[in-house]
Amino acid sequence: MYELKFDGSLCQTCPTADCLVKCQYMDLEKDEAKKQMVNIWEGKDSFVFEGCVTCYACEEYCRRGNHPFYLITEKREEKGLLTAPRAITKQWINIGEPQGKFKVGKPGERVLSFGFMPEFFKMAKGRLFQKAMPSFIFGQEFFCNVVYIHFANTSIIKKRLPMIMENFRKLGVKEVVCLHDECYGSFAHLAPAYGIEVPFKPIHYFEFLYERLKELRNDIKPLNFKVAYQRPCSSRLSPDKHRLVRDIMDLIGVRLVEREYQDENALCCGGIYAMCFGYDLANDVQRRNMDDMAKHGAEYCVFNCPACQGTLGEKVAKMGIKPIHMIELCRMAIGEA
Amino acid sequence: MTDIMHSLADIVGEDYVSSQPEEIYFYARDPGLMPPHEPDYVVVPSTVEEIQEIVRLANREKTPVVPMGAGLALTGLIIPLKGGIVIDMKRMNRILEVNEGARYAIVEGGTSQGQLSAYLEKNYPRLRHSIPDAPPTATIAANVTIHGQGRLTQQRGFNSDMVGGLEVVLPSGEVCKIGSCALSFGWFSKGPPLPDLSGLFLGWFGATGIITKLAVKLYPRKKFRDVEIFVTDRGELVPDIVYEITHTEMAEDVLIFTQPMPLMFRDNHHVSFYITGDTDEELEFKRKLIWKALDRFIKAKDGGFMGIPPAMKPTLLEMPQRSASRLADVKRGGGFEYSGPIIMVEKYPECSEKLKELASQYGLAYSGMVRVIDGGHSMMFAFAFAFNRSDPDMMENTRKALKEVSDFVLKVGGVYWKPTVEEQRMALENMDPNTRKLMKMIKENLDPNGIMNPGNWEFIS
Ligand SMILES: Cc1cc2nc3c(=O)[nH]c(=O)nc-3n(C[C@H](O)[C@H](O)[C@H](O)COP(=O)(O)OP(=O)(O)OC[C@H]3O[C@@H](n4cnc5c(N)ncnc54)[C@H](O)[C@@H]3O)c2cc1C
């Protein structure tokens, strides 16, 4: 019943076809790119189904408000074209299944969403979160489910997301600060694309951190680190929030190294690639990405997503680049970590 | 005090012998499903000489003796089925020698796995032994006596294959050296190039003698160790997957598990393998070879590597791994038993189907846990069930399910591992008659009075 809002005529008249022209994993000229996108929209076959590695970036590249990646995902699902091995998809669907094991702190009108990433229990503390905690929620019952677009499975999202919204509605919260970038992407981008009503205002935790750091400005001691930022796939769903990375870094005196694979050109952590496509793709992407960090003298690799940190953290550490989550970095700047 | 009690006290000292009800209660049972049976005495010797004396006494009195390690074999092997004397080996726990160059350790017959691994970690950080996933109190001698398997089994075979020699108190009370140590000061081989007499004791559950010392072979401990888990929803592909992994010869240990809980594991089969290396390059090289070997399954979408959450890694890497112990209490009440036949890897699909069928038929919590043995020549497939000890119906259902496993095992060409008395009987009945005759000859010649762990490997002619 929830249908993707996609306007094919926008593709037909698109002057750039950036969605596929800019793709880092396929090499397409504008005309071909446009043709393939229209093919996909019309339900025809396309080699894009083979070549797309589910990095989500085309959602950002499209400047006309269309949803190229969601469309690819929908059509893949319709055609039964799997991205991931069946067992992996099954496993992830099981992982996200609500089991009544959720945790709710003392939710006020504004609540912190930990998604179901237990890492946030350790991070959401200290002065940054003084005013916000213990208003938090955690668990599959509040899980944004966006990850399933990696697995060409939007039907599970359409089934679960409305129930998740209902759980939020029952809590009566007005604002949800999403500590996981994916959740924000889901509530602010994916849900509207499918006409799923979101009963609260989603707030990206970057905004929360930025505002809070401004309040704590006097406590900030510039860190003077040179860092590389690991942009997660989900950040492509909320590119308007990406600028906050620089704003926050400026505020805490951290210098973002100007490297090749950042901003629009960022590379995925490779976690999903390893699961879906095997060694070569994951290894190639990770190697290029990490070498690029090292080449530009990054002392820290700053993560937005704990899952990316889980995938790449140890690897960058072995190269002498310290892995750190954005929240921890900000806590460090106010002398807490 | 009875005469036997007096004599035992004379041998080991009064503090180390008991016939008090609380001790008798404890030594009458194990954590498995076998009904308890009380011993008459429990004795805790500390020297070989004391064990010799105890065995001589038992022979004179025609009283059974049952050697016991930690009592964790679960299949009733230390339950004194005919009463008599339980010899608790725990005080014989000295680590006597480590030969670093020849890579072996000589330990006493009651030394636990945990003791040896802690000792090596502290004093010989470049050496390790094949640790089973049993709780660390499990003893090394008992484990090889039952042909246990451990963390190096995929590469090196059964833990009993990794024995470098034995010292045994025979049922007559004599002490006998087995292996190279019979002729040399070196404990480097349990048999070759001499006739391999270790087979007279390994696999006999103490029914032919008591191991008082043994040499355990040690192997390089690499600086780094990592684990990967390959997941498939098609059980019938598991033998192929194992074949590819073992073909690379890069994995240290290969385990498989299939279980419905936690939910993330439902409906899939998980082949986990461990890799080791002294450098990152070595580790990565091994990882890459195995990943590439499984590429065709990924391409066909038949399987893939799961991303192991960082919080799960330490649990998977710990030795022993506690997941089996955790399963032991899912139903609360601490009941856990598995039948773990040794069977060809090609039988994995049938075994996992059977396990699911039995669990659903009897309404049991289950886990299928596999350890690949010796490069894939065979595997131990544990049909594991957890039950609540205070729920007699659940216990009875577990018994029934395990009985069905016993029947199934023979049909699919499996051989019982650490069999219950009932399974021993089934094995003897079904084996080649001349093999049975040979086993009987060995048992009767070594233990003419039938005092050694009677009820086990018992030959009803
Ligand atoms: C959670 C769990 C996980 C397990 N995982 C594993 C595993 O990964 N690998 C594995 O191999 N096993 C495993 N086991 C089974 C078992 O615990 C081990 O094999 C363990 O090594 C048995 O040692 P024990 O000291 O408890 O033996 P016991 O139960 O005390 O004895 C076993 C047999 O050996 C005989 N015996 C004891 N000492 C001597 C001796 N000195 N001389 C002669 N005979 C002797 C006994 O009479 C008995 O017949 C597991 C058990 C549990 C509960």
Side-chain angles (χ1 to χ4, degrees), chain B residues 4 28 113 209 249 290 343 348 354:
Chain B
I4 295 183
Q113 304 285 350
E249 295 192 306
I290 300 180
I343 200 162
Y348 176 87
K354 186 71 187 175

Side-chain angles (χ1 to χ4, degrees), chain B residues 66-74 77-78 89 109-110 113 131-135 137-143 145-150 159 204-206 209-212 324-325 328 336 338 371 417-418 453 456:
Chain B
V66 179
M68 174 189 168
L72 288 166
L74 303 177
L77 301 179
I78 45 90
M89 297 294 292
Q113 304 285 350
I131 301 172
D133 286 314
T137 48
T139 63
I140 299 167
N143 184 257
T145 307
I146 63 171
H147 290 305
Q149 310 100 46
N159 286 351
W204 283 88
F205 314 145
I210 299 175
I211 298 170
T212 45
S325 310
F336 171 60
Y338 63 91
R371 170 164 270 132
W417 173 50
K418 60 181 178 68
N453 205 357
N456 286 285

Side-chain angles (χ1 to χ4, degrees), chain A residues 83 86-87 275 279-280 318, chain B residues 233 268 292 301-302 305:
Chain A
T83 48
R86 291 178 309 277
M275 274 188 271
Y279 190 89
D280 286 340
K318 281 185 178 158
Chain B
D233 58 346
N268 281 332
K292 301 286 268 184
K301 308 294 180 196
D302 281 331
F305 284 93

